Amino acid sequence: MDDADRLDVAVSGGSMGGLFTGLALRYDGHAVDVFERSTGELESRGGGIVAQPRMLDFLDAHGIAAPAEITTTTSRRRYLDRNDGVEREYADRMSFTSWDAVYRQLRDAFPDDRYRMGKRTVDADSDGRTATLAFDDGSTARADLAVVAEGGRSSTRDRFLPGVEPEYAGYVAWRGVTPESAVPAAVNERFEDVFTFYQVPHDLVLGYLIPGPDGGTATGERRLNWVWYDDVRDRDERRLLTDEDGRRREFSVPPGKLRSDVESRLRADAEGLPATFADLVAATDEPFVQAIYDLTVPRMVFDRICLLGDAAFVARPHTAAGTAKAAADGIELADALEGDVETALDRWERERLEAGRRLVAEGRRMGENYMN
């Protein structure tokens, strides 16, 4: 890359979207600084995710992680009936990983001296040629381009698109991750090489094996990840998202923070699931809950500032593409930035708006199918 084409880029948000973007831009020769609001590492966040090919190809091509070292696989998809029997089953190859396994590899690949922690963005502005981020500690960062990868609660998106808010879908996902060593052997065997489901009207439960907290994929090192999509329209969503400290959460209550009455209700309800899932929920120490939302934006580029990942579009988890979309946004941005920046951003925005809208629409369709 010629020096004239090299950009200084400031990324607000150091999670998945920010790191994929930062690394993709660095590999293309740009100078990138990532600014993360948290003061500690983020490995403990999130659970299992479907490992989409585009994401794995990027990790592999740049020597960040070999796919086989951070994924588990299944070759069959199985649906259980209420009595824990097999309702139907068919061949279907899938790859899975975990949020923490991927984050750790991305974070290790990004230079420590360009990853700034404790930097919460409170303002962003662009004069058409440069962008400036302002942080809560009074400092600023000026760059040729600012990338907003702050997630679904992005305050910068709120600044540029006031009134654009996530739309609650009317149901939640109860979730849990537990070491396979903590689960009865008979339960582990039911998930070996099998992506397992239970579906009835207004409820969908699924489970699969993922790498362990240190990325281990050998038997005994893995974890079981489960998700229970639960229609809670007849319950108070605000109460479900109020944690044990009385704090009202917007999107999720993390592991260890569920109110005791909410967790007790969850565990009692889980006893009505097929034994495979009932046993798995019972073996999970710290279940958590995530409200299901849709988010679409009309724009992603504002002069030299752009939104990507969940700061722009949030699709329902049924699409199994949230992390993959954030990665694709960043990779496509790096690919687009050749020549005139404004032209490149315009082309990138049109393509990613279309991709985001399609994904959100697909998530809504799948949610209506699963939860009705």
Side-chain angles (χ1 to χ4, degrees):
M1 172 180 288
D2 295 337
D3 288 344
D5 294 327
R6 178 180 177 272
L7 300 177
D8 290 320
V9 183
V11 178
S12 178
S15 187
M16 289 288 204
L19 284 170
F20 270 112
T21 303
L23 287 166
L25 289 166
R26 279 182 55 82
Y27 295 143
D28 276 6
H30 303 290
V32 185
D33 289 285
V34 170
F35 299 92
E36 166 56 38
R37 64 182 296 172
S38 299
T39 56
E41 296 293 342
L42 308 179
E43 285 103 330
S44 62
R45 299 185 181 183
I49 55 178
V50 174
Q52 299 286 1
R54 183 74 184 279
M55 179 179 73
L56 294 178
D57 289 346
F58 178 84
L59 298 174
D60 192 28
H62 295 288
I64 299 171
E69 295 177 357
I70 60 166
T71 60
T72 59
T73 60
T74 57
S75 65
R76 292 175 292 157
R77 181 175 296 221
R78 175 182 295 163
Y79 286 81
L80 303 177
D81 62 25
R82 174 64 188 83
N83 296 317
D84 212 37
V86 177
E87 183 177 89
R88 67 185 188 277
E89 181 175 326
Y90 53 89
D92 183 28
R93 185 168 181 81
M94 299 285 291
S95 294
F96 305 97
T97 186
S98 62
W99 191 98
D100 45 14
V102 176
Y103 168 80
R104 185 180 61 256
Q105 299 292 337
L106 294 172
R107 182 65 188 86
D108 287 347
F110 197 88
D112 286 343
D113 63 341
R114 308 305 291 266
Y115 190 92
R116 318 297 175 82
M117 305 191 75
K119 293 286 188 178
R120 183 171 69 87
T121 301
V122 295
D123 200 2
D125 200 8
S126 174
D127 61 10
R129 300 297 299 174
T130 61
T132 302
L133 299 179
F135 307 106
D136 61 351
D137 62 4
S139 64
T140 60
R142 189 176 182 184
D144 299 307
L145 175 66
V147 176
V148 177
E150 298 168 350
R153 294 172 291 183
S154 172
S155 60
T156 306
R157 180 192 65 239
D158 293 343
R159 168 178 167 76
F160 287 101
L161 295 171
V164 174
E165 298 286 345
E167 298 177 15
Y168 177 50
Y171 59 102
V172 303
W174 303 102
R175 305 192 63 172
V177 176
T178 188
E180 61 179 323
S181 59
V183 178
V187 176
N188 281 325
E189 291 172 1
R190 299 171 202 163
F191 291 94
E192 195 67 56
D193 196 36
V194 180
F195 189 11
T196 305
F197 292 78
Y198 172 65
Q199 182 179 359
V200 294
H202 309 295
D203 281 289
L204 172 68
V205 194
L206 57 90
Y208 49 88
L209 284 159
I210 62 172
D214 296 323
T217 58
T219 301
E221 298 177 349
R222 302 165 300 180
R223 294 169 292 179
L224 275 162
N225 177 84
W226 57 269
V227 184
W228 179 3
Y229 295 105
D230 184 11
D231 187 338
V232 293
R233 295 174 197 270
D234 62 339
R235 280 176 267 171
D236 184 357
E237 177 251 345
R238 288 180 176 271
R239 183 178 66 83
L240 297 181
L241 293 179
T242 300
D243 68 20
E244 64 173 2
D245 300 319
R247 176 184 171 188
R248 171 72 168 90
R249 305 270 183 161
E250 286 187 82
F251 294 111
S252 64
V253 178
K257 287 294 186 178
L258 282 183
R259 284 174 41 171
S260 58
D261 62 317
V262 172
E263 182 172 345
S264 295
R265 171 74 180 269
L266 165 65
R267 294 189 182 280
D269 289 348
E271 293 176 2
L273 298 175
T276 293
F277 286 111
D279 291 345
L280 184 52
V281 174
T284 302
D285 287 337
E286 294 185 336
F288 55 107
V289 67
Q290 160 191 359
I292 305 303
Y293 284 88
D294 303 305
L295 172 67
T296 62
V297 295
R299 297 175 59 191
M300 295 173 71
V301 174
F302 308 83
D303 292 328
R304 291 297 185 96
I305 298 171
C306 61
L307 310 177
L308 56 69
D310 284 356
F313 288 90
V314 176
R316 301 186 194 185
H318 313 298
T319 62
T323 301
K325 183 199 170 295
D329 284 347
I331 295 167
E332 294 291 342
L333 178 63
D335 289 346
L337 286 173
E338 296 181 3
D340 180 71
V341 175
E342 284 70 29
T343 300
L345 290 176
D346 180 67
R347 182 173 64 253
W348 173 83
E349 180 185 42
R350 283 186 278 109
E351 292 174 353
R352 300 317 297 168
L353 281 172
E354 182 181 354
R357 289 166 182 154
R358 282 200 312 267
L359 191 63
V360 171
E362 177 67 4
R364 286 177 172 149
R365 184 195 66 76
M366 295 175 74
E368 290 169 1
N369 179 56
Y370 289 142
M371 301 307 296
N372 291 332

